[in-house]
Amino acid sequence: MSRRAPLPGASELFRLTSGNALEFPAPAEAREPEPEPEQPRRLIRGAGAKSSTPRQKHDAKITVYVSGDELLAMEHARLTLRGSHGLVVDRGRLVREAVAVLLADFDEYGEDSVLVRRLRAGGPDDPAESGAGG
């Protein structure tokens, strides 16, 4: 027998208070799903400056490891964007913009793109050089 006192569940704590106070909302399984918004991305915050786009909810996540020097350079760029250009961005936004620029360059220039040239040059982060898979 457990020594813990029984506590109310989340449905009891967070029940709707409109109408009869003794009515509990239907369990999540019994409720009909809410329709999905027709917009491809949900806006979280309104647009700021003209050079900035609204913050958006993203549906996929990746983890990227960077060196200490790369992280320091990224933070320096982020602070320079804020101090010199009035753009407040987080690291995620900075990385997404960098990826977008790199992919646009790749789409436009293909074989002569910065991406292809850097990958061909190889280096310490090249999986073929380090023996790691990617």
Side-chain angles (χ1 to χ4, degrees), residues 11 16 23-32:
S11 62
L16 298 175
E23 273 184 35
F24 292 99
E29 305 86 45
R31 284 188 232 141
E32 292 198 22

Side-chain angles (χ1 to χ4, degrees), residues 57-71:
K57 180 179 180 187
H58 301 279
D59 57 351
K61 178 182 176 181
I62 65 169
T63 300
V64 178
Y65 292 90
V66 297
S67 69
D69 290 340
E70 291 167 331
L71 183 59

Side-chain angles (χ1 to χ4, degrees), residues 22-131:
L22 297 177
E23 273 184 35
F24 292 99
E29 305 86 45
R31 284 188 232 141
E32 292 198 22
E34 294 181 22
E36 291 293 319
E38 294 191 18
Q39 299 172 346
R41 294 180 177 164
R42 193 179 105 225
L43 299 179
I44 297 176
R45 179 175 46 170
K50 288 184 180 180
S51 60
S52 174
T53 58
R55 191 164 179 188
Q56 300 172 343
K57 180 179 180 187
H58 301 279
D59 57 351
K61 178 182 176 181
I62 65 169
T63 300
V64 178
Y65 292 90
V66 297
S67 69
D69 290 340
E70 291 167 331
L71 183 59
L72 188 61
M74 190 183 315
E75 283 299 315
H76 182 263
R78 193 180 67 76
L79 292 172
T80 301
L81 286 168
R82 183 178 188 163
S84 299
H85 304 285
L87 296 170
V88 180
V89 296
D90 60 16
R91 284 184 270 180
R93 171 80 188 277
L94 187 63
V95 169
R96 287 189 298 275
E97 291 295 334
V99 168
V101 168
L102 192 67
L103 293 177
D105 180 71
F106 177 67
D107 284 344
E108 186 171 344
Y109 298 107
E111 189 78 14
D112 297 324
S113 67
V114 173
L115 178 63
V116 172
R117 286 182 291 168
R118 288 181 62 96
L119 291 174
R120 280 205 175 120
D125 291 331
D126 187 6
E129 297 282 325
S130 65

